[in-house]
Amino acid sequence: MNFHGKDIKIFAANSNPRVAKEMATQLGLPLGESEVVNFSDGEISVSIGESVRGSDVFVVQSISTPVNDHLMELLIMIDAFKRASAARITAVIPYLGYARQDRKAKARDPISAKLVADLITVAGADRVLSMDLHCPQIQGFFNIPVDHLLGVPLLVPYFNEKFGGDKSNFIVISPDLGSVTRARNFALRFSCPLAIVDKRRQKANVSEVMNIIGDVRGKQAILVDDMIDTGGSLCNAAKAVIEVGGASEVYACVTHGVLSGPAIERIERSVIKEVILLDTIEIPEEKRLAKMTVLPVAPVFAQAIQRIYSDKPVSPLFNI
C-alpha cells in the first residue's frame, strides 16, 4: 500500500535555502513557493504560495544558528502544511540541533533532544529525514519513522580521489570514544587502521587530551567526527596526534560545520592541513578558509526523497 501523496513538493525555510533548491533541481522540480518572515516583535509568519492538498511535502530546514528561530520556522511550516491538507509531511533536517542534549548528564538536566522530537511530531510531521545524528539512538526519541543518512559515504570518496590507491601510510583517528563507530566505518571503507584519542571533558566545549590509543607515528592521520562546534576538541586532538603521537600530518573530516565562537580562528591556527565539511549547515563565505573544503549533500538527500516517495528502501544510499 502506498502512503505517499500524488506528487512531490520541496519547500525551504530560512536556514539553508540553497541546499533545498539544489535538492529540488536534482529531482527536476521547482522549489515550492513559500515565505518565512518575522513580525516586528519577533514572531514568525509563514505563507505558503501554492496548493499542497494531497501532495507529498518535504520541508528542508537545518536546526542551526539561530537554533530557536530555525526550530520554530520548521514547526510552523509543518503546521501550515498539515492544515493545508498535505497527504504526508517529511521534515528534512540535514542537521538536527539540540541532538547533543540526549541524556541526563547530572541531576535535574532536561533531555532537550526528546523534547524537540516530540515538538516535531506534534506539529504534524509524518516522518523525518536527517544525517549523522550526534547519537543514533535519537531515532528512538521520535514516534514516527526516521531515515538516518550517513556522511561517511560522501567523505571517503573525496580522500580516495585525493590520495589514490596507496593508503599504507594513512590512519583514521576518532577524536573521542563517542565517535569510534563513525571512525571505524570510515576506516573500513578507506582500508586503513584505526586509532583513538582518549580525552577527559571537564565541561561543555572544554576538553583535555589524555592519550593516543594506537600507533600513529609517521602516519598521515584523518580525524573523523560528526561536527565542529567551537573547534576546541578537534584542534586539541589534532595537536595531540602530532605532538604526542608523532603523526606527520593531520586532516579532519566532519559532517556538520557548526563553527560557533572561536572555531574559525582555532582551525586557522591549528596543525590541521585540511578540513573537509558537508554543507548540511550553510557556511558563509566569510567563514570559509583556504584549508576548508565543502562537499554537497543535496544529491544524496534528493535520492533519499525520491526513494521515500516511491516507497523504496533508503539503506542502499549507505553504500554509495
Side-chain angles (χ1 to χ4, degrees):
M1 181 181 294
N2 290 338
F3 293 96
H4 58 69
K6 62 186 178 182
D7 55 4
I8 304 175
K9 294 198 174 184
I10 312 291
F11 290 86
N14 290 331
S15 73
N16 209 337
R18 180 187 57 79
V19 168
K21 185 173 178 58
E22 289 175 2
M23 291 180 196
T25 300
Q26 291 279 333
L27 292 165
L29 300 169
L31 193 61
E33 295 181 19
S34 64
E35 185 179 35
V36 183
V37 296
N38 289 82
F39 290 117
S40 58
D41 65 350
E43 291 183 5
I44 294 166
S45 171
V46 169
S47 178
I48 309 301
E50 61 185 87
S51 173
V52 296
R53 184 177 295 273
S55 296
D56 209 344
V57 171
F58 293 82
V59 190
V60 182
Q61 176 82 329
S62 283
I63 303 177
S64 54
T65 304
V67 174
N68 297 328
D69 287 351
H70 286 161
L71 174 59
M72 281 304 300
E73 288 177 8
L74 175 63
L75 298 176
I76 294 171
M77 284 196 82
I78 291 171
D79 182 72
F81 291 126
K82 179 182 178 182
R83 297 177 187 278
S85 301
R88 183 171 65 175
I89 304 165
T90 301
V92 181
I93 311 174
Y95 169 69
L96 180 67
Y98 285 102
R100 285 174 283 182
Q101 300 184 47
D102 61 339
R103 65 193 182 281
K104 292 184 69 171
K106 62 182 187 298
R108 296 173 295 280
D109 271 358
I111 304 179
S112 304
K114 170 59 176 169
L115 174 61
V116 169
D118 288 342
L119 289 170
I120 292 169
T121 304
V122 171
D126 296 295
R127 66 188 307 126
V128 169
L129 174 62
S130 191
M131 175 174 277
D132 270 353
L133 297 172
H134 185 66
C135 176
Q137 290 88 332
I138 289 172
Q139 294 173 85
F141 289 2
F142 291 88
N143 295 322
I144 54 178
V146 177
D147 291 298
H148 184 211
L149 301 177
L150 303 178
V152 166
L154 300 177
L155 294 164
V156 172
Y158 175 83
F159 284 92
N160 280 331
E161 184 176 346
K162 185 179 181 71
F163 296 108
D166 184 14
K167 302 165 186 173
S168 58
N169 199 46
F170 281 90
I171 188 165
V172 171
I173 300 180
S174 172
D176 54 39
L177 296 176
S179 295
V180 170
T181 300
R182 184 178 295 103
R184 183 183 292 116
N185 188 9
F186 191 105
L188 287 172
R189 291 170 182 267
F190 197 59
S191 303
C192 68
L194 174 70
I196 302 169
V197 175
D198 177 32
K199 71 180 183 183
R200 178 176 60 207
R201 185 177 293 278
Q202 299 169 320
K203 58 182 178 179
N205 300 127
V206 178
S207 61
E208 177 186 352
V209 173
M210 301 299 292
N211 197 13
I212 309 294
I213 304 172
D215 183 14
V216 303
R217 189 163 301 280
K219 300 282 189 180
Q220 294 171 282
I222 303 174
L223 283 166
V224 179
D225 208 350
D226 64 322
M227 70 175 69
I228 301 179
D229 187 358
T230 61
S233 294
L234 204 68
C235 293
N236 286 342
K239 182 179 179 182
V241 167
I242 294 286
E243 296 182 357
V244 178
S248 60
E249 59 184 13
V250 181
Y251 297 84
C253 64
V254 298
T255 302
H256 309 299
V258 179
L259 301 176
S260 63
I264 297 301
E265 292 79 6
R266 285 175 173 174
I267 294 170
E268 182 66 48
R269 296 196 309 265
S270 74
V271 297
I272 300 173
K273 187 171 183 179
E274 184 181 8
V275 178
I276 296 86
L277 301 163
L278 301 182
D279 61 354
T280 56
I281 299 172
E282 184 66 32
I283 301 175
E285 286 298 324
E286 61 269 20
K287 286 191 174 184
R288 297 200 179 196
L289 304 173
K291 62 164 70 176
M292 193 178 288
T293 301
V294 182
L295 305 178
V297 296
V300 70
F301 271 95
Q303 291 181 58
I305 289 170
Q306 183 63 60
R307 285 180 170 274
I308 290 168
Y309 175 74
S310 304
D311 293 325
K312 294 180 180 178
V314 175
S315 55
L317 299 180
F318 300 161
N319 299 314
I320 56 175

